Amino acid sequence: MTKRISSPGVIHQVIRRHRFTLKKSLGQNFLADENILKNIVQAANLTRDSYVVEIGPGAGSLTQYLAEAAGKVVAVEIDGRLKAILEETLQNYDNVVVRFGDVLKMDLPKMIAEEFPADAAVTVVANLPYYVTTPILLKLLTDHLPLRSIVVMVQKEVADRLEASPGQKSYGSLSIAVQYLADPSIVMTVPRTVFIPQPNVDSAVIRLDIRPEKRVAVTDEPFFFQIIRASFAHRRKTLMNNLMHQLFPKEQKEAVLDVLEQAGIDPGRRGETLTIDEFARLSENLKPLTAADH
Ligand code: SAM
């Protein structure tokens, strides 16, 4: 019978026995609540035909539940010191592979091709390390992975950004990247008290269902994202000022103003008021200007 790593007592015991010290710099806040672990797995809708990538298995608490619900789990962990603990906590599961390394530096398409069947649709499930939540989400969304959905624990403040609409304080480039590629929803909010050690903020479990078709059509995705990043570079500046400071030489000022007018977008607006459709229109219309530049 496998020992669950889901209560504070057992987590402390395993950590102590292996003389493991939790590293704040690696976002090591272990989840010690069986109900929340079960809720995360339930939100991922897994069956024995599901293929899962977990990021940061830690001591293996979520991994155990995932292994019981899915066909195969590949867990990516940066901290090699967790090897002995994971060997112990996952010893009864023959459908789990742990790969040690930094998920941000990993070739994920290659890893997925090596570990899962060719037509596998992958679900990412994780209690994400807080210090790299945004880069991990952006990598998952833009690496062209065969993803079905992403179910992850993030800080509450990041969860709010994912669902934000134009004009809201938390609306930014992450909101747009997520909403362009996925349908986001908040599964549950989670108090800070269920983690060891307790972080300074509350969390939320979010679910991103990857859309079969992107929300808007753009011909040059990297340029679309460049425009979005430039528009949010300085939130107090107008859209026009941001575009001119970040992307276009002074000589193109008139041309950029003409494009904004054609696109029906007031140059005095701030980037944070633009919808995804407006960003798509803007990037389609501004694209020819960059071609003329080269
Ligand atoms: N899944 C465990 C749980 O729920 O208790 C641990 C979650 S803890 C919030 C985040 C985990 O991610 C830690 O085990 C940490 O070592 C790992 N981690 C941090 N940065 C990482 C990175 N860049 N790549 C892979 N794993 C990382």
Side-chain angles (χ1 to χ4, degrees):
M1 186 49 193
T2 301
K3 193 167 192 179
R4 293 260 176 235
I5 314 296
S6 51
S7 70
V10 178
I11 293 178
H12 280 300
Q13 205 184 61
V14 172
I15 288 175
R16 217 174 305 126
R17 196 153 31 80
H18 286 268
R19 296 193 159 73
F20 183 78
T21 46
L22 288 153
K23 265 198 195 166
K24 204 175 167 193
S25 62
L26 289 179
Q28 291 178 339
N29 301 95
F30 289 179
L31 181 53
D33 187 300
E34 196 172 328
N35 275 329
I36 294 172
L37 287 162
K38 284 183 182 164
N39 280 331
I40 296 175
V41 176
Q42 204 177 12
N45 277 338
L46 302 174
T47 67
R48 282 292 176 191
D49 296 325
S50 306
Y51 298 96
V52 173
V53 170
E54 186 192 5
I55 296 161
S61 43
L62 181 58
T63 327
Q64 291 183 336
Y65 285 100
L66 292 172
E68 283 162 30
K72 182 171 179 183
V73 181
V74 177
V76 178
E77 174 56 62
I78 199 171
D79 191 349
R81 299 175 309 142
L82 285 161
K83 191 161 189 286
I85 293 185
L86 286 167
E87 276 169 5
E88 182 187 309
T89 58
L90 301 176
Q91 62 184 329
N92 292 344
Y93 301 96
D94 58 7
N95 61 342
V96 179
V97 172
V98 180
R99 289 207 177 194
F100 286 94
D102 181 345
V103 72
L104 290 174
K105 294 190 183 139
M106 262 184 200
D107 184 342
L108 293 180
K110 182 162 168 265
M111 182 186 90
I112 287 173
E114 283 168 5
E115 296 287 358
F116 298 134
D119 56 350
V122 176
T123 306
V124 174
V125 187
N127 171 17
L128 289 179
Y130 289 174
Y131 76 110
V132 275
T133 306
T134 301
I136 291 178
L137 284 175
L138 287 176
K139 181 176 164 91
L140 291 173
L141 290 167
T142 55
D143 256 8
H144 299 291
L145 306 172
L147 294 188
R148 194 172 66 104
S149 59
I150 300 174
V151 177
V152 284
M153 176 94 72
V154 297
Q155 305 94 301
K156 176 75 177 56
E157 172 255 326
V158 174
D160 291 338
R161 280 162 60 195
L162 304 183
E163 282 199 326
S165 336
Q168 289 182 332
K169 210 169 128 206
S170 44
Y171 184 67
S173 28
L174 182 66
S175 329
I176 298 170
V178 164
Q179 293 167 23
Y180 172 61
L181 297 154
D183 293 320
S185 57
I186 294 182
V187 175
M188 64 191 297
T189 50
V190 176
R192 63 193 79 181
T193 47
V194 298
F195 297 94
I196 300 174
Q198 272 189 39
N200 296 327
V201 291
D202 293 328
S203 297
V205 177
I206 54 148
R207 180 183 160 130
L208 307 177
D209 290 315
I210 306 302
R211 298 171 63 89
E213 289 194 14
K214 314 234 163 97
R215 197 174 295 267
V216 286
V218 289
T219 42
D220 185 339
E221 248 177 45
F223 185 65
F224 172 61
F225 284 116
Q226 242 183 326
I227 293 286
I228 292 167
R229 272 195 306 272
S231 306
F232 283 100
H234 298 282
R235 292 185 81 106
R236 286 166 169 276
K237 280 190 181 164
T238 62
L239 176 67
M240 183 64 190
N241 278 346
N242 267 329
L243 290 173
M244 292 313 296
H245 276 102
Q246 307 293 319
L247 283 181
F248 296 96
K250 270 201 227 85
E251 306 76 65
Q252 283 192 308
K253 189 169 174 194
E254 287 308 315
V256 173
L257 279 171
D258 282 350
V259 167
L260 286 171
E261 194 180 329
Q262 278 162 32
I265 297 169
D266 181 343
R269 279 169 69 182
R270 296 216 171 121
E272 69 205 40
T273 67
L274 267 67
T275 63
I276 297 189
D277 285 289
E278 287 176 317
F279 276 118
R281 210 155 73 221
L282 196 59
S283 85
E284 293 304 290
N285 288 352
L286 284 172
K287 182 71 195 150
L289 292 189
T290 60
D293 207 22
H294 296 300

